[in-house]
């Protein structure tokens, strides 16, 4: 194993071989590291990040771990370009007790988010190619914003800790697991969305305020296994009438 601590350092690199576990921590300021000369790595961990971390030329297939980050900084992972040229590239990120971290991971079509040891919150999850997100693990996962290539399929059916996703514009498909899942569609819910809360006490949140207020649950929306419908509106003149067609 090797542990690297860095601060306010741009375009650095280091070379290792046959070191299976590489752990990186930032203490102050943004850090960019080129891992092109790292070989034999079987586990990459970003831990206790206090500044943005960008990792370039990560070996494709390396499991990624993000641990104990609470500062809202960005963890940005970029795989070696030649290794992610297909249309079915996958990656797994194991999340261990993060209260606030942003994640960017490009050129990956299917991303698995696995929670371990403690609950984790992702402030913003982005990825230029993400189309499918799988959620596993027994700890709660919250994703406050997610932006992929376009329409998203989110499959949390294998998760037992419950999840919360705040979704933006698009025709999205969500499948929940055995925990208590929350799907927040804001004002973007349409007849083309598919939401299945799965087992557990699941909640659908829609917004009924602002100029783009959602005025009704679309009658043809595919929604099932939702125990609680929550309408969110501010107590002012912008709140509108709302219709639910059973």
């Amino acid at each position: 194993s090797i542990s690297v601590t860095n601060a306010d350092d741009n375009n650095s690199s280091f070379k290792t071989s046959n070191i299976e576990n590489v752990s990186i921590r930032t203490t102050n300021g943004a850090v960019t590291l080129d891992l092109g000369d790292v070989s034999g790595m079987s586990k990459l961990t970003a831990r206790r990040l206090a500044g943005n971390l960008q990792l370039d030329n990560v070996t494709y297939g390396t499991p990624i771990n993000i641990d104990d980050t609470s500062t809202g900084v960005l963890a940005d992972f970029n795989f070696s370009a030649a290794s992610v040229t297909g249309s079915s590239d996958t990656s797994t990120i194991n999340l261990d007790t993060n209260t606030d971290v942003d994640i960017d991971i490009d050129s990956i079509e299917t991303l698995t988010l696995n929670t371990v040891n403690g609950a984790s919150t992702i402030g913003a999850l982005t990825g230029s190619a993400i189309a499918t997100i799988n959620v596993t693990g027994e700890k709660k996962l919250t994703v406050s914003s997610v932006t992929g290539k376009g329409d998203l399929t989110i499959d949390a059916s294998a998760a037992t800790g419950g999840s919360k996703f705040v979704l933006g514009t698009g025709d999205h498909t969500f499948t929940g697991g055995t925990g208590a899942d929350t799907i927040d569609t804001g004002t973007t819910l349409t007849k083309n969305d598919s939401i299945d809360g799965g087992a557990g006490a699941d909640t659908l949140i829609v917004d009924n305020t602002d100029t783009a207020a959602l005025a009704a649950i679309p009658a043809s929306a595919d929604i099932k296994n939702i125990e609680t419908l929550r309408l969110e509106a501010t107590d002012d003149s912008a709140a509108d009438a709302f219709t639910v067609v059973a």
Side-chain angles (χ1 to χ4, degrees), residues 12-35:
S12 294
S13 65
F14 61 93
K15 184 175 183 178
T16 64
S17 60
N18 299 319
I19 300 294
E20 288 77 19
N21 299 319
V22 176
S23 177
I24 300 171
R25 178 187 177 194
T26 59
T27 57
N28 182 42
V31 171
T32 299
L33 282 176
D34 188 335
L35 302 185

Side-chain angles (χ1 to χ4, degrees), residues 55-139:
L55 297 177
D56 296 332
N57 290 312
V58 178
T59 301
Y60 176 68
T62 302
I64 296 169
N65 297 266
I66 303 177
D67 299 351
D68 300 313
T69 295
S70 60
T71 53
V73 298
L74 172 66
D76 184 358
F77 302 96
N78 300 296
F79 294 98
S80 304
S83 66
V84 285
T85 58
S87 59
S88 57
D89 298 307
T90 66
S91 184
T92 295
I93 299 178
N94 298 301
L95 299 158
D96 184 349
T97 321
N98 302 281
T99 57
D100 189 8
V101 63
D102 294 343
I103 299 173
D104 181 74
I105 184 165
D106 289 330
S107 304
I108 294 297
E109 284 78 25
T110 299
L111 177 64
T112 296
L113 300 173
N114 179 54
T115 58
V116 295
N117 295 327
S120 282
T121 294
I122 300 172
L125 172 63
T126 56
S128 61
I130 294 176
T132 299
I133 299 172
N134 298 318
V135 181
T136 58
E138 59 183 24
K139 302 302 180 180

Side-chain angles (χ1 to χ4, degrees), residues 170-172 188-195 214 216-223:
D171 298 333
H172 305 308
T188 69
L189 184 67
T190 74
K191 62 182 180 62
N192 297 317
D193 289 317
S194 177
I195 298 173
L214 186 70
I217 296 291
S220 58
D222 182 13
I223 301 173

Side-chain angles (χ1 to χ4, degrees), residues 154 157 172-177 179-183 185 189-205 217-229 245:
I154 301 171
S157 60
H172 305 308
T173 299
F174 177 90
T175 304
D181 298 304
T182 299
I183 309 93
T185 61
L189 184 67
T190 74
K191 62 182 180 62
N192 297 317
D193 289 317
S194 177
I195 298 173
D196 181 352
D202 306 306
T203 301
L204 172 63
I205 300 174
I217 296 291
S220 58
D222 182 13
I223 301 173
K224 56 187 176 184
N225 295 320
I226 293 294
E227 285 70 33
T228 301
L229 172 63
V245 180

